[in-house]
């Protein structure tokens, strides 16, 4: 019973937090996720123009009137078009912008893994390789000396 009360209380607090959000916080959040129609390539939050300030105030007024984030975004899209969003939609053709980088990353990781495995693989041994024959350090020195004699003076 006590766990049920705690779970209910946690649910109420979690769902009440967005409703208790300050209108200015909601307006700031929206303006960070919206492109400025007045300053190309800049979010509304970062645009210094007077018209951008007016639009941010309009968004804040809507939030104070009780409009939800989705309602305000819909209103902005109706007024300025879908390009007002700073992020592509997560449906339709916009879904490609979210999925393609994932596939590109997986492809790059697969390529890197394949190359690293190839580089790390020991070289193939010749057919006449005998694992029982061991060359000592002395044998190696003598072989190097004989090869140096064969090559002649440098």
């Amino acid at each position: 019973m006590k766990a049920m009360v705690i779970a209910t209380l946690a649910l109420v607090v979690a769902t009440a937090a967005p409703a208790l959000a300050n209108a200015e916080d909601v307006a700031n959040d929206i303006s960070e996720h919206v492109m400025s129609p007045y300053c190309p390539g800049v979010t509304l939050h970062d645009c210094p123009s007077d018209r951008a300030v007016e639009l941010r105030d309009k968004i804040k007024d809507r939030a104070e009137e009780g409009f939800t984030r989705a309602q305000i975004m819909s209103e902005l899209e109706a007024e300025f078009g879908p390009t007002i969003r700073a992020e592509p939609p997560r449906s339709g053709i916009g879904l490609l912008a979210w999925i393609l980088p994932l596939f590109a990353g997986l492809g790059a990781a697969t390529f890197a893994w394949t190359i690293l495995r190839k580089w790390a693989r020991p070289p193939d041994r010749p057919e006449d390789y005998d694992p029982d024959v061991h060359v000592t350090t002395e044998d190696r020195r003598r072989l190097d000396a004989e090869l140096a004699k064969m090559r002649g003076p440098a």
Side-chain angles (χ1 to χ4, degrees):
M1 180 66 178
K2 186 176 182 180
M4 181 97 142
V5 170
I6 292 172
T8 305
L9 184 61
L11 183 65
V12 168
V13 169
T15 56
L20 296 175
N22 183 344
E24 192 165 334
D25 292 340
V26 172
N28 282 334
D29 181 55
I30 291 172
S31 68
E32 288 174 350
H33 292 90
V34 170
M35 296 305 293
S36 173
Y38 313 111
C39 298
V42 178
T43 62
L44 184 63
H45 187 267
D46 296 327
C47 181
S49 76
D50 293 336
R51 295 191 67 194
V53 172
E54 291 172 12
L55 185 55
R56 285 193 297 265
D57 290 341
K58 179 181 173 184
I59 292 170
K60 182 180 172 191
D61 292 342
R62 293 285 191 252
E64 286 173 349
E65 292 171 9
F67 281 66
T68 65
R69 184 183 196 286
Q71 290 171 324
I72 296 171
M73 289 298 289
S74 295
E75 188 177 293
L76 290 171
E77 274 190 60
E79 187 174 345
F80 298 104
T83 57
I84 193 79
R85 290 184 178 267
E87 298 173 344
R90 290 185 169 103
S91 62
I93 195 76
L95 189 59
L96 286 176
W98 294 97
I99 293 176
L100 285 179
L102 178 68
F103 284 124
L106 288 174
T110 302
F111 177 74
W113 176 257
T114 303
I115 294 297
L116 288 175
R117 284 189 60 212
K118 185 176 181 179
W119 287 345
R121 186 176 57 214
D124 293 333
R125 293 183 174 164
E127 289 179 21
D128 59 346
Y129 176 77
D130 185 0
D132 294 331
V133 176
H134 298 286
V135 178
T136 64
T137 307
E138 179 58 35
D139 292 337
R140 184 71 191 177
R141 267 192 232 122
R142 198 174 54 163
L143 180 61
D144 287 341
E146 291 292 325
L147 287 171
K149 277 186 204 175
M150 286 179 63
R151 288 187 192 117

